[in-house]
Amino acid sequence: MTVRNWARNIAFTADEVLRPTSVAELSELVASRALVRALGTGHSFNRIADSTGVLVSTRDLALPIEIDGDTVSVGGGTRYGELAVALHAAGRALANLGSLPHISVAGACATGTHGSGSGNRCLAAAALAVEFVRADGALVRLTRDDPDFGGAVLALGALGIVTRLTLATVPTFEIRQDVWVDAPLPRVLDRLDDVLDSAYSVSLFTSWRRRDVLDQIWTKSRTDGVPFDGAEVGARPAEVAMHPIAGQDGATATPQSGSAGPWHERLPHFRLEFTPSNGEEQQSEYLLPRSAGAAAVAALAEVDFAGALQVCEIRTVAADELWLSPCSGRDTLALHFTWFDDDVRVANAVDALERTLAPFDPRPHWGKVFRAAPTWHRPALPRFRELVDRYDPDRTFGNAFLAEHVY
Ligand SMILES: Cc1cc2nc3c(=O)[nH]c(=O)nc-3n(C[C@H](O)[C@H](O)[C@H](O)COP(=O)(O)OP(=O)(O)OC[C@H]3O[C@@H](n4cnc5c(N)ncnc54)[C@H](O)[C@@H]3O)c2cc1C
């Protein structure tokens, strides 16, 4: 049977997904196979999760969520939405979430998944410890004080199958979400940093169909702060619940109109019980230095998206120190694109986009569609390969994606 990713644009070469129910069973399975690769919830858009051997899900390992003071230990196959509910009930929170709660913790961390917020780092940066089954079946545990740790969480699935992660938590908090519409683009560009810094998490959405208007500004503000006033950049408050993509049902998005609620019901854009985004789509994202700012955004207005674009999202992410993180060493301006699911149009749009963004030192998101091979991570590769040589000398966890971009 063909196994596909969530978006169904990728048919995996492996034709089965094995679901061990204990770590011992997982260890045995890994040690006895020549080629194995972890699959999370399959929300990546390229061949990063593919294997010519077998795919393994850690979803059924049945590892409990253990909250201990200001940390939580969680099975890698757990979805963020489930983890968030347990944390909130215990009075705790994660500092940030991605745009959807449907993704697995290990899969999101492996690719550098991030949310938005000038002070918020990517989700993998919350990791304090990681446990994984390496190629010989042994269980390895690494903590932040281990010299390998910077390469072991955002590891593209290359070191082993992650069974557990320990994450830093903060006291639970409330967020109010507001959506502003139809901001004149020049006014936003004049004050881009102010707008992006105006709340705990800010996302700008636009389809670029009106090249001088920015369609939507979503602000997620801590309730102890001052909410952003979109009128300062000529926007008006949305009158109905908005979806990032025009024509999609705003009821599937998290509550807006200034309504405050728990962090995990406002930081993602999409609710766990509904299909996130559109569903029939592909995605790309490029992570630029924050200093690229208004010049990079203005350049987008000139791109020929070949009719492929559903919506573009502009976010910020704080710098981290993870070796393969696209935000490593620099505060980041993240430019995201939701495409129609059409390979030819997407290829043309991505080529045009990559040409336009090239002067701004873009780093592609590891889990989304890109065409020009990334080179920015090459300085980190020797030490990452040294980890791979130790934990997976025979490339049991290898695939064509890793052969091209890592090995
Ligand atoms: C609708 C939608 C919205 C999105 N929004 C965002 C967003 O806001 N921000 C963002 O940055 N990205 C976003 N993404 C991208 C998504 O977060 C990443 O692709 C992420 O990797 C998906 O996690 P997953 O569990 O589905 O991983 P998968 O796609 O299943 O796997 C990704 C990689 O992780 C590895 N992996 C998975 N589980 C394990 C494990 N247990 N041990 C070792 N390696 C493992 C796989 O081998 C593979 O290499 C979005 C995707 C979709 C579909």
Side-chain angles (χ1 to χ4, degrees):
M1 204 187 82
T2 307
V3 184
R4 291 183 174 272
N5 64 339
W6 170 85
R8 303 192 62 77
N9 67 313
I10 299 287
F12 293 120
T13 316
D15 55 9
E16 60 176 333
V17 183
L18 303 179
R19 300 180 186 280
T21 54
S22 69
V23 174
E25 194 189 325
L26 172 65
S27 294
E28 228 170 85
L29 186 162
V30 170
S32 65
R33 300 277 180 155
L35 280 173
V36 190
R37 194 142 171 88
L39 181 66
T41 52
H43 283 81
S44 297
F45 292 89
N46 59 31
R47 294 207 161 268
I48 189 169
D50 200 8
S51 173
T52 50
V54 290
L55 290 171
V56 177
S57 163
T58 59
R59 179 88 191 139
D60 295 346
L61 289 184
L63 298 169
I65 295 171
E66 290 169 359
I67 299 166
D68 181 11
D70 55 4
T71 69
V72 61
S73 165
V74 58
T78 307
R79 297 188 300 168
Y80 272 99
E82 296 151 3
L83 171 60
V85 169
L87 281 173
H88 180 62
R92 306 298 300 174
L94 297 173
N96 206 4
L97 290 169
S99 72
L100 74 175
H102 307 66
I103 48 178
S104 78
V105 175
C109 288
T111 60
T113 293
H114 59 89
S116 189
S118 304
N120 292 321
R121 296 175 301 162
C122 75
L123 304 186
L128 303 170
V130 60
E131 286 174 36
F132 60 91
V133 172
R134 66 182 191 197
D136 64 0
L139 187 65
V140 178
R141 178 180 160 86
L142 298 175
T143 57
R144 260 198 192 164
D145 48 15
D146 192 296
D148 293 348
F149 193 72
V153 179
L154 202 172
L156 316 179
L159 303 186
I161 314 287
V162 173
T163 53
R164 253 188 188 286
L165 286 143
T166 303
L167 307 175
T169 67
V170 297
T172 194
F173 55 96
E174 291 227 318
I175 290 281
R176 64 170 280 171
Q177 179 158 250
D178 296 270
V179 177
W180 299 81
V181 296
D182 295 339
L185 183 64
R187 290 188 62 181
V188 175
L189 293 184
D190 272 355
R191 298 198 40 204
L192 186 65
D193 280 331
D194 294 342
V195 174
L196 292 170
D197 293 342
S198 67
Y200 187 73
S201 169
V202 175
S203 288
L204 313 182
F205 291 102
T206 201
S207 68
W208 294 115
R209 277 182 210 110
R210 300 175 295 169
R211 304 251 160 171
D212 54 352
V213 176
L214 188 112
D215 297 341
Q216 301 183 34
I217 302 173
W218 290 37
T219 57
K220 301 166 192 277
S221 319
R222 295 282 296 237
T223 45
D224 48 9
V226 181
F228 169 71
D229 181 1
E232 286 178 26
V233 288
R236 55 186 174 77
E239 284 161 14
V240 294
M242 300 295 289
H243 189 284
I245 300 174
Q248 298 283 322
D249 185 1
T252 65
T254 46
Q256 303 159 19
S257 305
S259 110
W263 59 284
H264 61 292
E265 294 178 6
R266 298 293 182 281
L267 289 175
H269 304 321
F270 306 109
R271 301 182 197 227
L272 186 60
E273 61 273 30
F274 292 106
T275 299
S277 192
N278 180 351
E280 289 181 24
E281 66 191 69
Q282 298 184 31
Q283 296 184 6
S284 299
E285 187 163 26
Y286 296 88
L287 298 113
L288 279 51
R290 178 78 196 254
S291 55
V297 177
L300 296 179
E302 305 306 322
V303 176
D304 176 3
F305 289 110
L309 185 63
Q310 300 200 56
V311 76
C312 164
E313 180 180 8
I314 300 162
R315 294 181 278 188
T316 53
V317 194
D320 61 57
E321 300 305 326
L322 305 175
W323 306 350
L324 296 185
S325 168
C327 302
S328 130
R330 66 188 199 189
D331 287 335
T332 293
L333 180 75
L335 304 179
H336 162 92
F337 304 84
T338 300
W339 310 115
F340 289 103
D341 184 17
D342 176 328
D343 289 345
V344 174
R345 282 199 286 170
V346 169
N348 289 335
V350 169
D351 285 344
L353 181 60
E354 289 183 348
R355 276 195 302 275
T356 299
L357 293 182
F360 300 104
D361 194 13
R363 299 172 175 178
H365 190 302
W366 286 115
K368 301 185 182 180
V369 176
F370 56 87
R371 303 253 303 163
T375 54
W376 67 268
H377 64 305
R378 283 190 185 154
L381 279 183
R383 58 179 178 162
F384 187 68
R385 281 198 207 109
E386 193 272 319
L387 286 195
V388 177
D389 288 343
R390 257 188 291 135
Y391 295 113
D392 184 21
D394 298 326
R395 308 296 188 248
T396 301
F397 304 112
N399 65 5
F401 185 97
L402 292 180
E404 183 176 357
H405 302 301
V406 173
Y407 306 152

